[in-house]
Amino acid sequence: MEELYSQSAIALLNSRRRKARSSLTGLPGRSNIPGLDSMPSLKGTPSLKGKPSLIGVREWLQELGHSTEDDDVSRLNVIHVSGTKGKGSTCAFVNSFLKAHGERTGFPRKIGLYTSPHLKYVQERIQIDSTPISEILFAKYVFEVWHGLSGKISPGPRYLQLLYLTSIHAFIREGIDVAIYETHNGGEYDATNVIQKPVVTGVTTIGMDHVEQLGPRIENIAWHKAGIFKHGSPAFSTFQEPAAATILQQRANEKNVVLQFIGVNPTLPYNALALKPEVQRTNCSLAIAVASTFLKVKAPQDSCLTSQDILQGIEQFSWPGRFHHIVDGNHQWFLDGAHNELSIQKAAQWFVETTLERQMYLVISYSNNVELEADVFRSSPPCTRILVFSHISERDGAALLKGAAEVLHRGGVQIQHVILSTYEEQQDGTASMGTSNQQFSLFFRCELTFNSDPCSKTTEQPFLLDLQKDYIEAYRSIDPDARISVVPTIEGALNLAREIGSRGNGMQTLVTGSLYLIGGALRLLEKNTKEIPYNIST
């Protein structure tokens, strides 16, 4: 009965997914949506496509009895984070630091965390004290929100709007002391931007992503990201490209907001596993500034974030699916949900550095005996390196794959086998409730090697077949000798990687391209593998 209850809530959520993104037209540099600020043209005509998710959210909250102007929502003590790369990691670091401070001092007592998308189960998006709320509690609040709005305001909230409303409702009902919010997309017109009085805001690294909705240039994207700045709330940002930094500062000045740009904190521990990728030091440093400021404003008795809180927060930091390393005997999996060009380059660089670091460690271990070192490598040949990739979205997936290939090639890592897949999880066609993978299918398998012919089209999925051909051409433009397989399911791709590894001395496999891919892979891998203490994120 409980399982049916939770499945019904998830079915309701999925029924609110947008079928297609409409295109809004109007004067260059302006939105034709009444009541929204106009966007400056900057150095090109900005694009705002689809109905902004901010529309309706304030009215829905009021209908639920949660006013954005009064104490009800303000008591959530919101920390709001936008950006292109590292939003989730930064929020997770803030959560970890505040948790460490709370364990030491008693404040904050309860911490809410809202992020997107989810990896394995939709309730992961709404966490309290670093734990996703239970399926039953999640379903309870989804239905309370939906029934509270049904028939009163039309049209009702879409998928992300309903999730956001559910998070606000849940956090208020559960009595949390601080709510850490990651924006969905952009900032200015994002559903999460209904909060008028955040305690502090932060902007992570800005890059060229969601260009169709926010672009066309990085200045336009920065304009959207700075939309979370609010008068009276201090703001922080990582160092940005000059064009993006200029726009952030301009918008801060317009809103009379004090904005500080944060570099890498020099006191961060050098050897912390969670900070191995350099980008995590950037995200962590921003999180320290945000968490410290929050505590200065809200903590009783002038309690501050101490160096011990920071060390404990870094040690207990966890953000699955980003820079995530799993070991199964001599099979090593490196998973990262990178899905834009900036992210995937960081993921590929992490794979290069980590695999070569382990190789060098083996060499150094025998550096006092050159003859023994040679014997070791003769008897233990290098393991096979594999790339599993899947990406299906409005983004240029071929450019993502090519970017990863370029970083791997420059780093001196030879990928012996590339496996292209889809988001369909299991070979029998089943998928876990709460996932979106079931909407993606691919009814073919083909094996491609150097000089072989590309897959022939079928009438069932011509678009996806064309997409896979683009991916093959993109990777071969960097590595023409690559052996490439196309496998219709995540399970099949992982099984093929295991099979390849079992033929030789094991394997090291980078799995990347989408959080949908990573979520499916984690569900499958957790059944018979173990993590090593290298679970870190971006």
Side-chain angles (χ1 to χ4, degrees), residues 74 77-81 193 195-203 226-237 248 251-260 289-290 293-294 297-298:
S74 295
N77 294 326
V78 170
I79 294 172
H80 205 182
V81 178
N193 205 29
I195 300 297
Q196 296 302 302
K197 300 175 182 177
V199 177
V200 58
T201 60
V203 181
I228 67 171
F229 295 164
K230 301 294 190 300
H231 175 67
S233 301
F236 297 90
S237 170
L248 292 182
R251 296 220 69 193
N253 294 342
E254 291 167 3
K255 295 168 178 280
N256 196 22
V257 167
V258 177
L259 170 64
Q260 295 183 50
V290 168
T293 299
F294 173 84
V297 175
K298 289 293 180 179

Side-chain angles (χ1 to χ4, degrees), residues 16-224:
R16 303 305 300 167
R17 288 185 180 276
R18 176 166 38 198
K19 299 297 187 294
R21 186 182 293 274
S22 59
S23 177
L24 301 178
T25 57
L27 295 174
R30 296 189 62 84
S31 164
N32 65 345
I33 297 297
L36 296 183
D37 293 337
S38 62
M39 289 188 294
S41 61
L42 302 174
K43 296 182 180 180
T45 302
S47 170
L48 174 60
K49 293 185 178 179
K51 186 177 180 180
S53 63
L54 180 62
I55 292 180
V57 176
R58 180 175 287 105
E59 291 74 17
W60 290 323
L61 283 171
Q62 289 173 344
E63 191 64 39
L64 293 168
H66 307 316
S67 172
T68 59
E69 306 296 335
D70 299 327
D71 290 341
D72 199 14
V73 174
S74 295
R75 277 197 298 266
L76 291 179
N77 294 326
V78 170
I79 294 172
H80 205 182
V81 178
S82 70
T84 302
K85 174 65 178 168
K87 298 191 300 293
S89 290
T90 299
C91 288
F93 270 120
V94 172
N95 178 77
S96 194
F97 293 141
L98 293 182
K99 180 181 178 183
H101 184 273
E103 290 170 348
R104 181 174 60 84
T105 68
F107 180 85
R109 179 181 51 86
K110 258 187 178 180
I111 304 171
L113 175 64
Y114 177 82
T115 59
S116 62
H118 59 276
L119 275 178
K120 297 184 288 184
Y121 308 103
V122 67
Q123 61 268 23
E124 295 169 7
R125 299 180 185 231
I126 303 174
Q127 299 188 23
I128 296 177
D129 292 338
S130 305
T131 302
I133 62 175
S134 70
E135 294 180 43
I136 295 302
L137 200 59
F138 178 80
K140 174 181 183 293
Y141 288 134
V142 167
F143 284 125
E144 284 184 3
V145 169
W146 183 252
H147 294 318
L149 299 177
S150 293
K152 298 178 181 178
I153 300 178
S154 182
R158 299 191 302 269
Y159 181 82
L160 286 178
Q161 293 168 322
L162 183 52
L163 277 169
Y164 174 66
L165 292 169
T166 300
S167 74
I168 291 281
H169 185 65
F171 289 158
I172 290 174
R173 290 287 186 264
E174 295 297 312
I176 60 97
D177 296 320
V178 52
I180 306 163
Y181 271 92
E182 173 190 356
T183 58
H184 299 140
N185 181 1
E188 178 73 31
Y189 303 143
D190 189 73
T192 64
N193 205 29
V194 73
I195 300 297
Q196 296 302 302
K197 300 175 182 177
V199 177
V200 58
T201 60
V203 181
T204 66
T205 303
I206 296 172
M208 297 297 289
D209 194 23
H210 296 293
V211 175
E212 288 298 315
Q213 285 75 53
L214 308 178
R217 299 175 65 93
I218 198 166
E219 294 95 330
N220 305 95
I221 295 172
W223 187 91
H224 280 278

Side-chain angles (χ1 to χ4, degrees), residues 256-502:
N256 196 22
V257 167
V258 177
L259 170 64
Q260 295 183 50
F261 290 91
I262 302 297
V264 173
N265 190 311
T267 67
L268 292 178
Y270 178 74
N271 292 322
L273 290 176
L275 304 180
K276 275 288 185 179
E278 187 63 29
V279 67
Q280 286 298 68
R281 303 181 76 81
T282 299
N283 296 329
C284 181
S285 299
L286 176 62
I288 290 172
V290 168
S292 296
T293 299
F294 173 84
L295 292 171
K296 286 177 185 176
V297 175
K298 289 293 180 179
Q301 301 176 346
D302 297 323
S303 181
C304 64
L305 191 71
T306 66
S307 58
Q308 186 56 43
D309 294 335
I310 292 171
L311 290 175
Q312 183 179 336
I314 293 172
E315 184 177 344
Q316 68 189 14
F317 173 79
S318 176
W319 199 231
R322 287 80 163 184
F323 298 128
H324 195 148
H325 188 190
I326 295 176
V327 174
D328 180 18
N330 63 352
H331 294 170
Q332 295 186 49
W333 305 92
F334 298 77
L335 302 98
D336 191 282
H339 50 276
N340 59 53
E341 291 190 44
L342 179 60
S343 297
I344 206 161
Q345 290 170 17
K346 298 294 185 184
Q349 188 61 38
W350 166 63
F351 183 72
V352 168
E353 292 173 356
T354 306
T355 54
L356 292 183
E357 180 182 76
R358 291 175 183 277
Q359 181 174 304
M360 287 301 298
Y361 175 77
L362 188 57
V363 172
I364 293 169
S365 296
Y366 295 96
S367 60
N368 292 329
N369 190 329
V370 177
E371 184 177 352
L372 178 57
E373 177 187 321
D375 288 341
V376 167
F377 277 94
R378 276 196 293 268
S379 61
S380 301
C383 63
T384 302
R385 289 184 175 130
I386 301 169
L387 171 64
V388 175
F389 178 87
S390 180
H391 186 92
I392 305 170
S393 81
E394 64 194 16
R395 299 178 182 90
D396 186 350
L400 298 186
L401 182 57
K402 185 176 180 179
E406 288 172 340
V407 172
L408 294 168
H409 181 73
R410 283 198 308 268
V413 168
Q414 177 64 45
I415 298 294
Q416 283 86 8
H417 207 121
V418 177
I419 304 173
L420 304 177
S421 190
T422 66
Y423 297 163
E424 181 149 337
E425 185 173 319
Q426 299 185 48
Q427 291 174 318
D428 61 6
T430 63
S432 301
M433 284 300 297
T435 74
S436 304
N437 297 1
Q438 54 265 44
Q439 63 184 295
F440 301 98
S441 297
L442 190 60
F443 303 99
F444 74 98
R445 170 181 174 135
C446 62
E447 189 93 356
L448 292 150
T449 54
F450 183 48
N451 288 333
S452 67
D453 294 328
C455 295
S456 59
K457 286 187 181 180
T458 71
T459 58
E460 295 174 289
Q461 294 281 357
F463 170 74
L464 289 178
L465 288 170
D466 285 344
L467 191 66
Q468 302 294 3
K469 281 200 221 176
D470 290 343
Y471 291 172
I472 292 163
E473 291 173 3
Y475 199 89
R476 287 235 174 93
S477 70
I478 305 301
D479 184 0
D481 295 325
R483 182 176 179 85
I484 302 176
S485 297
V486 184
V487 181
T489 65
I490 299 171
E491 184 177 27
L494 300 184
N495 287 342
L496 178 57
R498 286 193 188 94
E499 178 186 332
I500 294 168
S502 297

